[in-house]
């Protein structure tokens, strides 16, 4: 496996994860809005808005990889930094303390 193939592995796994979220997010939002009726989740969440966020992250990764490949650069520091930043952000979102009475969207 070349370095470039290895680096393309992250966007591929990222998209598999995001496809799962795209499929399950509408039912999750509906369930949450029934549990917390005073929150206007449907006003803040739309499938289009979620898909735009996912597309932006994917394009950022792919454009960065393309520019490295186009310029024959072997040092993937910026791409690696972006990947690490995304991983840290996802870990933070998973482990942060949540207060079910005070959900902020």
């Amino acid at each position: 496996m070349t370095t470039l193939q290895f680096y393309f592995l992250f966007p591929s796994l990222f998209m598999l994860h995001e496809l799962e979220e795209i499929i399950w997010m509408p039912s999750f939002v509906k369930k949450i809005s029934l549990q917390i009726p005073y929150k206007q989740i449907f006003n803040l969440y739309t499938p289009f808005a979620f898909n735009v966020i996912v597309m932006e992250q994917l394009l950022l990764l792919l454009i960065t990889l393309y520019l490295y490949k186009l310029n024959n650069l072997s040092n993937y520091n910026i791409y690696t930094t972006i990947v690490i930043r995304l991983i840290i952000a996802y870990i933070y979102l998973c482990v942060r303390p949540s207060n079910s009475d005070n959900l902020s969207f």
Side-chain angles (χ1 to χ4, degrees):
M1 176 182 287
T2 66
T3 304
L4 188 61
Q5 290 172 337
F6 176 75
Y7 283 129
F8 267 112
L9 192 62
F10 183 77
S12 302
L13 294 175
F14 171 76
M15 281 313 297
L16 283 175
H17 167 72
E18 295 301 328
L19 287 173
E20 173 260 331
E21 285 185 354
I22 289 169
I23 291 169
W24 293 107
M25 186 67 80
S27 63
F28 173 75
V29 168
K30 189 180 289 185
K31 180 178 141 186
I32 291 294
S33 66
L34 293 174
Q35 292 176 355
I36 309 170
Y38 60 89
K39 291 288 185 179
Q40 299 297 323
I41 296 173
F42 283 116
N43 292 340
L44 300 173
Y45 166 78
T46 63
F48 178 75
F50 182 76
N51 291 339
V52 167
I53 293 168
V54 170
M55 181 63 78
E56 175 265 330
Q57 292 176 354
L58 179 66
L59 287 176
L60 177 67
L61 291 172
L62 293 180
I63 288 171
T64 307
L65 272 177
Y66 177 74
L67 290 175
Y68 274 106
K69 182 66 175 168
L70 184 68
N71 294 319
N72 291 326
L73 298 174
S74 60
N75 187 353
Y76 290 90
N77 285 339
I78 294 173
Y79 177 81
T80 307
T81 303
I82 292 170
V83 169
I84 290 171
R85 183 246 169 248
L86 287 173
I87 291 171
I88 290 172
Y90 285 131
I91 290 172
Y92 171 76
L93 290 174
C94 290
V95 299
R96 71 179 177 176
S98 64
N99 185 353
S100 62
D101 294 333
N102 187 15
L103 292 175
S104 59
F105 293 100

